[in-house]
Amino acid sequence: GMGGVGKTTLAQHICSDQQVKSHFGLVIWICVSDDFNVKRLIKEVIQSCPRKEATYDSGKDAPADNLNSLQLALSKHVNNQRVLIVLDDV
């Protein structure tokens, strides 16, 4: 939709609603720029997820830079959770 009509404000209001917060285990807000890059977006979602127990080492266990590895890593982070991901174009 057109800029300035309140899409971001509406999304913020929805994400702050108590029913939404209790329904989703995780709410992630990602700002998408004109340079739409799927790998970058997946990495940002992974980084927004709470770290797994002490087994996660960001240097050693970081996913490779190929799409399949990133998708597998994302799947592990959100496994069995309800996740609301907001892609905001700022």
Side-chain angles (χ1 to χ4, degrees):
M2 290 183 353
V5 296
K7 298 179 298 293
T8 298
T9 302
L10 177 62
Q12 289 171 335
H13 182 71
I14 291 169
C15 289
S16 66
D17 183 79
Q18 192 55 44
Q19 282 184 304
V20 172
K21 287 180 178 181
S22 64
H23 181 75
F24 292 98
L26 186 59
V27 177
I28 299 172
W29 193 284
I30 302 292
C31 292
V32 180
S33 65
D34 291 333
D35 177 27
F36 186 86
N37 183 313
V38 174
K39 290 179 185 178
R40 178 184 64 83
L41 295 175
I42 293 174
K43 286 178 185 178
E44 286 188 33
V45 171
I46 291 170
Q47 291 171 353
S48 298
C49 292
R51 298 286 186 235
K52 300 293 181 187
E53 289 74 45
T55 61
Y56 184 81
D57 176 0
S58 60
K60 181 178 67 170
D61 296 333
D65 202 28
N66 68 66
L67 189 56
N68 186 54
S69 295
L70 290 169
Q71 289 173 331
L72 289 172
L74 177 60
S75 176
K76 289 178 183 178
H77 280 284
V78 299
N79 188 27
N80 296 324
Q81 287 188 73
R82 289 189 188 132
V83 180
L84 173 61
I85 301 175
V86 179
L87 300 177
D88 190 21
D89 181 15
V90 174

